[in-house]
Amino acid sequence: MNRVLRAAGRLWAVPVVLVIWELVTRAAEDLSFPPPTTIAASMYEMWLTGPPERLWLTDAALENIPASVGRLLAGWVLAGVIGTAVGLVLGRRPLYFRFVDPLVQFARAIPPPMLLPFFMALFAIGPQMQINVIVFGIIWPVLINAAEGARHIDRQYVDTARVFGLSLKQRLFLLVLPAAMPKIFAGLRVSLSLALILMVISELVGSTDGIGFQLLDAQRSYDLPGVWGTIVVLGVLGYVLNSAFLAAERRVLSWHRTAKQTT
């Protein structure tokens, strides 16, 4: 109960902002900036006017939201696995890191939207292209943070592992990975927000479903409340994903906070 009250206390600004937004937009009477009540009505019409057996979800909601979330999570998980594996190897091999670091810095400086034509030519238009755009755009924070975490391990722990004769696999899972885990989670959190952005961008080009596609369709139809409603859905989705990630991070890294408190 206390946790629920604390969560509600953190959201006290939301109704205040909505009331101010409603008053200002109604006073301005600008069609480009509809009031929240108009946006909410448009969202209800777009997403929640389906039959009761489908929890009132419309065809648009069932076609677009799961498709976007699936692509986002697929790209994020794939980037997390590859970035963590490559980052740990580079972090424990300084010579490899010195050779590869210029290439990593070059690749992470390229804006992923600029490479959309390249990915479209390579994978054609579809989910495969969109997932690869997400992976390329978000893998670098995970890789760099994993390498930094693996590189800065207390030398005393490494020497102890050698004294006890731990194998390479044991050192990886019992020493390197736990030591780098806080940095890895930091990179994963940054990449999650970037994945949401790239999901929308990739769906604006040649897509036939997804939240980004619906945003573009509403824009082409001059449905401004629909555009704002889709933007609100993206904001809510980002908030939900970030909250779920923080809850998982607190659970997985509880040992890390305990260790810091005892030192």
Side-chain angles (χ1 to χ4, degrees):
M1 185 64 181
N2 291 334
R3 185 175 299 178
V4 174
L5 292 175
R6 286 197 299 270
R10 288 195 296 268
L11 298 176
W12 65 268
V14 175
V16 175
V17 171
L18 289 176
V19 170
I20 296 175
W21 185 1
E22 182 79 21
L23 295 175
V24 171
T25 50
R26 287 198 176 277
E29 295 183 348
D30 188 345
L31 295 178
S32 299
F33 299 97
T37 50
T38 303
I39 296 172
S42 178
M43 292 174 65
Y44 177 80
E45 184 69 25
M46 283 194 302
W47 310 101
L48 295 172
T49 54
E53 60 268 19
R54 296 192 316 197
L55 300 178
W56 295 277
L57 294 173
T58 61
D59 291 337
L62 293 175
E63 291 173 5
N64 295 320
I65 295 179
S68 290
V69 174
R71 287 190 282 261
L72 185 155
L73 293 179
W76 182 65
V77 170
L78 190 58
V81 172
I82 297 174
T84 299
V86 175
L88 292 178
V89 172
L90 294 179
R92 297 310 301 164
R93 295 291 184 269
L95 182 61
Y96 295 170
F97 186 85
R98 284 197 294 271
F99 278 114
V100 176
D101 185 57
L103 297 176
V104 172
Q105 299 304 327
F106 174 80
R108 71 188 289 259
I110 300 175
M114 300 298 294
L115 294 177
L116 276 174
F118 169 76
F119 282 105
M120 290 170 63
L122 192 61
F123 300 105
I125 295 174
Q128 188 177 8
M129 180 273 290
Q130 294 157 350
I131 292 173
N132 278 280
V133 169
I134 294 172
V135 171
F136 177 83
I138 71 174
I139 194 173
W140 313 114
V142 183
L143 189 153
I144 293 172
N145 276 275
E148 287 294 316
R151 188 167 53 177
H152 295 98
I153 299 177
D154 194 328
R155 185 70 185 178
Q156 184 178 1
Y157 295 148
V158 177
D159 293 338
T160 303
R162 288 200 181 114
V163 168
F164 280 95
L166 296 182
S167 65
L168 183 62
K169 182 179 179 181
Q170 288 174 323
R171 274 183 281 172
L172 173 64
F173 287 101
L174 298 179
L175 176 61
V176 178
L177 188 58
M181 195 66 74
K183 284 280 190 179
I184 293 172
F185 268 87
L188 288 172
R189 185 179 181 187
V190 173
S191 66
L192 184 59
S193 60
L194 293 175
L196 180 63
I197 297 171
L198 291 175
M199 176 203 77
V200 177
I201 293 175
S202 66
E203 290 176 349
L204 293 176
V205 182
S207 181
T208 58
D209 59 7
I211 301 175
F213 166 76
Q214 187 157 15
L215 176 64
L216 183 63
D217 185 61
Q219 182 183 9
R220 288 171 174 171
S221 304
Y222 296 99
D223 179 13
L224 296 178
V227 171
W228 281 95
T230 308
I231 293 173
V232 171
V233 168
L234 289 171
V236 172
L237 177 60
Y239 177 81
V240 170
L241 291 174
N242 185 67
S243 299
F245 179 81
L246 289 178
E249 182 183 26
R250 283 193 296 268
R251 181 176 292 273
V252 174
L253 296 183
S254 58
W255 61 268
H256 180 68
R257 292 196 304 274
T258 304
K260 288 179 65 176
Q261 291 172 359
T262 54
T263 55

